[in-house]
Amino acid sequence: MQLSTKRKEFESLMGKTVQLVNEQTSCHQAIAESLTELKSSAMELQERVVQAFKQVDDKFYFEEMANFDDNERNHLLNLYRETMLKGYNFGYEYFREVTRLVTGDTKQKLSKRLVNYAKEWMAFVTEKCEKGRDMRPK
């Protein structure tokens, strides 16, 4: 039986007499502290990954591309799109893995971040990708 099932069973049996503070913990303090640190680091890295994609998108100037010939411009746009799509796919994979790691309030925060990330991806695809190019995240 999983920990969450046992926790709910324990809570229902104990009622209001006991309040569980941590959703997950270890009997060894060092492991518990390491797990907490890992969760915190994973959330911080997730935030940095999202910021990196935003920076790449912000720094790519479409206006300056008017100076390039058609072949160069198309090549750069294709590289930009491919890079951003691979980045977004990586971001979704990372979100999925972090979701497995975190619980409780942290998971709720992550869910809100995922929704915002999905909105950014949708804006990118609708504004900067051609229709019908199978741009769904994997």
Side-chain angles (χ1 to χ4, degrees):
M1 213 177 260
Q2 288 187 331
L3 178 62
S4 60
T5 308
K6 288 290 188 185
R7 184 182 68 242
K8 288 176 185 175
E9 182 181 336
F10 179 78
E11 286 177 325
S12 67
L13 291 172
M14 297 306 294
K16 302 275 183 190
T17 57
V18 175
Q19 179 182 4
L20 298 177
V21 178
N22 295 326
E23 290 197 28
Q24 292 180 351
T25 191
S26 171
C27 57
H28 299 287
Q29 188 62 27
I31 294 173
E33 289 172 0
S34 294
L35 182 60
T36 302
E37 186 179 329
L38 176 64
K39 290 177 183 182
S40 175
S41 296
M43 289 293 287
E44 186 178 316
L45 179 59
Q46 178 276 321
E47 201 170 309
R48 288 182 181 180
V49 166
V50 171
Q51 289 302 320
F53 296 140
K54 286 181 183 178
Q55 287 178 349
V56 169
D57 194 33
D58 291 344
K59 290 182 180 182
F60 191 80
Y61 300 111
F62 288 95
E63 297 84 26
E64 292 179 9
M65 294 188 66
N67 302 332
F68 296 115
D69 67 22
D70 286 343
N71 287 337
E72 289 177 326
R73 183 174 40 251
N74 288 336
H75 180 68
L76 284 174
L77 285 172
N78 284 334
L79 284 175
Y80 164 74
R81 282 187 207 113
E82 288 176 28
T83 303
M84 290 298 290
L85 288 171
K86 286 180 181 181
Y88 276 112
N89 284 335
F90 169 78
Y92 279 114
E93 291 292 325
Y94 191 78
F95 266 106
R96 185 173 61 200
E97 295 303 318
V98 173
T99 300
R100 293 179 186 175
L101 180 66
V102 297
T103 58
D105 290 339
T106 308
K107 195 167 202 162
Q108 286 180 334
K109 289 178 189 175
L110 185 65
S111 297
K112 290 176 183 177
R113 289 182 186 179
L114 179 58
V115 169
N116 290 333
Y117 187 74
K119 287 178 182 178
E120 290 171 14
W121 173 79
M122 287 187 286
F124 166 77
V125 170
T126 56
E127 294 170 9
K128 298 178 180 162
C129 293
E130 299 174 35
K131 286 187 176 187
R133 288 290 188 156
D134 192 29
M135 300 298 175
R136 290 179 287 131
K138 296 182 180 174

